[in-house]
PDB file of all heavy atoms in Angstrom:
ATOM      1  N   CYS A  82       5.637  18.323   7.865  1.00  0.00           N
ATOM      2  CA  CYS A  82       5.490  19.518   7.019  1.00  0.00           C
ATOM      3  C   CYS A  82       6.520  20.577   7.394  1.00  0.00           C
ATOM      4  O   CYS A  82       7.131  21.191   6.511  1.00  0.00           O
ATOM      5  CB  CYS A  82       4.073  20.081   7.150  1.00  0.00           C
ATOM      6  SG  CYS A  82       2.800  19.061   6.385  1.00  0.00           S
ATOM      7  N   ARG A  83       6.731  20.792   8.678  1.00  0.00           N
ATOM      8  CA  ARG A  83       7.692  21.794   9.140  1.00  0.00           C
ATOM      9  C   ARG A  83       9.104  21.444   8.668  1.00  0.00           C
ATOM     10  O   ARG A  83       9.847  22.308   8.220  1.00  0.00           O
ATOM     11  CB  ARG A  83       7.645  21.899  10.674  1.00  0.00           C
ATOM     12  CG  ARG A  83       8.713  22.785  11.300  1.00  0.00           C
ATOM     13  CD  ARG A  83       8.760  24.207  10.794  1.00  0.00           C
ATOM     14  NE  ARG A  83       7.496  24.866  10.869  1.00  0.00           N
ATOM     15  CZ  ARG A  83       7.184  25.944  10.138  1.00  0.00           C
ATOM     16  NH1 ARG A  83       8.067  26.483   9.316  1.00  0.00           N
ATOM     17  NH2 ARG A  83       6.012  26.500  10.227  1.00  0.00           N
ATOM     18  N   ARG A  84       9.472  20.152   8.743  1.00  0.00           N
ATOM     19  CA  ARG A  84      10.806  19.749   8.271  1.00  0.00           C
ATOM     20  C   ARG A  84      10.948  20.016   6.775  1.00  0.00           C
ATOM     21  O   ARG A  84      11.999  20.492   6.336  1.00  0.00           O
ATOM     22  CB  ARG A  84      11.067  18.275   8.595  1.00  0.00           C
ATOM     23  CG  ARG A  84      11.439  18.035  10.041  1.00  0.00           C
ATOM     24  CD  ARG A  84      12.003  16.654  10.275  1.00  0.00           C
ATOM     25  NE  ARG A  84      11.034  15.596  10.043  1.00  0.00           N
ATOM     26  CZ  ARG A  84      10.210  15.102  10.960  1.00  0.00           C
ATOM     27  NH1 ARG A  84      10.225  15.579  12.182  1.00  0.00           N
ATOM     28  NH2 ARG A  84       9.371  14.130  10.662  1.00  0.00           N
ATOM     29  N   TRP A  85       9.917  19.695   6.002  1.00  0.00           N
ATOM     30  CA  TRP A  85       9.983  19.963   4.560  1.00  0.00           C
ATOM     31  C   TRP A  85      10.111  21.463   4.285  1.00  0.00           C
ATOM     32  O   TRP A  85      10.911  21.883   3.443  1.00  0.00           O
ATOM     33  CB  TRP A  85       8.736  19.420   3.857  1.00  0.00           C
ATOM     34  CG  TRP A  85       8.819  17.981   3.506  1.00  0.00           C
ATOM     35  CD1 TRP A  85       8.201  16.933   4.124  1.00  0.00           C
ATOM     36  CD2 TRP A  85       9.583  17.405   2.430  1.00  0.00           C
ATOM     37  NE1 TRP A  85       8.528  15.753   3.509  1.00  0.00           N
ATOM     38  CE2 TRP A  85       9.368  16.012   2.468  1.00  0.00           C
ATOM     39  CE3 TRP A  85      10.406  17.929   1.452  1.00  0.00           C
ATOM     40  CZ2 TRP A  85       9.958  15.143   1.552  1.00  0.00           C
ATOM     41  CZ3 TRP A  85      10.995  17.071   0.551  1.00  0.00           C
ATOM     42  CH2 TRP A  85      10.776  15.694   0.601  1.00  0.00           C
ATOM     43  N   LEU A  86       9.325  22.266   5.003  1.00  0.00           N
ATOM     44  CA  LEU A  86       9.383  23.714   4.790  1.00  0.00           C
ATOM     45  C   LEU A  86      10.720  24.291   5.239  1.00  0.00           C
ATOM     46  O   LEU A  86      11.278  25.165   4.565  1.00  0.00           O
ATOM     47  CB  LEU A  86       8.229  24.394   5.520  1.00  0.00           C
ATOM     48  CG  LEU A  86       6.846  24.098   4.950  1.00  0.00           C
ATOM     49  CD1 LEU A  86       5.763  24.658   5.865  1.00  0.00           C
ATOM     50  CD2 LEU A  86       6.704  24.640   3.535  1.00  0.00           C
ATOM     51  N   ASP A  87      11.251  23.802   6.354  1.00  0.00           N
ATOM     52  CA  ASP A  87      12.564  24.262   6.812  1.00  0.00           C
ATOM     53  C   ASP A  87      13.645  23.898   5.794  1.00  0.00           C
ATOM     54  O   ASP A  87      14.542  24.691   5.511  1.00  0.00           O
ATOM     55  CB  ASP A  87      12.910  23.667   8.175  1.00  0.00           C
ATOM     56  CG  ASP A  87      12.080  24.253   9.307  1.00  0.00           C
ATOM     57  OD1 ASP A  87      11.431  25.305   9.108  1.00  0.00           O
ATOM     58  OD2 ASP A  87      12.073  23.640  10.403  1.00  0.00           O
ATOM     59  N   GLY A  88      13.551  22.691   5.240  1.00  0.00           N
ATOM     60  CA  GLY A  88      14.506  22.267   4.222  1.00  0.00           C
ATOM     61  C   GLY A  88      14.411  23.118   2.964  1.00  0.00           C
ATOM     62  O   GLY A  88      15.431  23.486   2.368  1.00  0.00           O
ATOM     63  N   ALA A  89      13.191  23.426   2.578  1.00  0.00           N
ATOM     64  CA  ALA A  89      12.996  24.271   1.392  1.00  0.00           C
ATOM     65  C   ALA A  89      13.567  25.670   1.635  1.00  0.00           C
ATOM     66  O   ALA A  89      14.218  26.250   0.760  1.00  0.00           O
ATOM     67  CB  ALA A  89      11.508  24.357   1.043  1.00  0.00           C
ATOM     68  N   ARG A  90      13.347  26.204   2.840  1.00  0.00           N
ATOM     69  CA  ARG A  90      13.878  27.538   3.180  1.00  0.00           C
ATOM     70  C   ARG A  90      15.407  27.526   3.141  1.00  0.00           C
ATOM     71  O   ARG A  90      16.029  28.445   2.618  1.00  0.00           O
ATOM     72  CB  ARG A  90      13.382  27.959   4.568  1.00  0.00           C
ATOM     73  CG  ARG A  90      14.059  29.194   5.144  1.00  0.00           C
ATOM     74  CD  ARG A  90      14.032  30.410   4.259  1.00  0.00           C
ATOM     75  NE  ARG A  90      12.689  30.871   4.013  1.00  0.00           N
ATOM     76  CZ  ARG A  90      12.389  31.758   3.062  1.00  0.00           C
ATOM     77  NH1 ARG A  90      13.338  32.279   2.301  1.00  0.00           N
ATOM     78  NH2 ARG A  90      11.157  32.131   2.868  1.00  0.00           N
ATOM     79  N   ALA A  91      16.013  26.477   3.667  1.00  0.00           N
ATOM     80  CA  ALA A  91      17.469  26.374   3.658  1.00  0.00           C
ATOM     81  C   ALA A  91      17.997  26.316   2.226  1.00  0.00           C
ATOM     82  O   ALA A  91      19.014  26.949   1.906  1.00  0.00           O
ATOM     83  CB  ALA A  91      17.924  25.154   4.450  1.00  0.00           C
ATOM     84  N   ARG A  92      17.327  25.571   1.351  1.00  0.00           N
ATOM     85  CA  ARG A  92      17.752  25.482  -0.044  1.00  0.00           C
ATOM     86  C   ARG A  92      17.620  26.834  -0.745  1.00  0.00           C
ATOM     87  O   ARG A  92      18.502  27.223  -1.514  1.00  0.00           O
ATOM     88  CB  ARG A  92      16.926  24.433  -0.780  1.00  0.00           C
ATOM     89  CG  ARG A  92      17.267  23.013  -0.364  1.00  0.00           C
ATOM     90  CD  ARG A  92      16.377  21.987  -0.999  1.00  0.00           C
ATOM     91  NE  ARG A  92      16.489  22.008  -2.452  1.00  0.00           N
ATOM     92  CZ  ARG A  92      15.665  21.343  -3.264  1.00  0.00           C
ATOM     93  NH1 ARG A  92      14.690  20.617  -2.767  1.00  0.00           N
ATOM     94  NH2 ARG A  92      15.836  21.401  -4.571  1.00  0.00           N
ATOM     95  N   LEU A  93      16.528  27.542  -0.475  1.00  0.00           N
ATOM     96  CA  LEU A  93      16.356  28.871  -1.071  1.00  0.00           C
ATOM     97  C   LEU A  93      17.424  29.840  -0.573  1.00  0.00           C
ATOM     98  O   LEU A  93      18.003  30.594  -1.365  1.00  0.00           O
ATOM     99  CB  LEU A  93      14.969  29.429  -0.745  1.00  0.00           C
ATOM    100  CG  LEU A  93      13.808  28.785  -1.487  1.00  0.00           C
ATOM    101  CD1 LEU A  93      12.481  29.273  -0.904  1.00  0.00           C
ATOM    102  CD2 LEU A  93      13.886  29.091  -2.971  1.00  0.00           C
ATOM    103  N   ASP A  94      17.670  29.816   0.719  1.00  0.00           N
ATOM    104  CA  ASP A  94      18.693  30.699   1.284  1.00  0.00           C
ATOM    105  C   ASP A  94      20.064  30.404   0.680  1.00  0.00           C
ATOM    106  O   ASP A  94      20.815  31.326   0.343  1.00  0.00           O
ATOM    107  CB  ASP A  94      18.751  30.561   2.808  1.00  0.00           C
ATOM    108  CG  ASP A  94      17.529  31.162   3.494  1.00  0.00           C
ATOM    109  OD1 ASP A  94      16.779  31.922   2.841  1.00  0.00           O
ATOM    110  OD2 ASP A  94      17.316  30.837   4.685  1.00  0.00           O
TER     111      ASP A  94
END
Side-chain angles (χ1 to χ4, degrees):
C82 289
R83 173 56 53 201
R84 282 193 295 271
W85 276 105
L86 292 172
D87 289 345
R90 169 54 63 194
R92 288 175 61 190
L93 287 171
D94 289 345

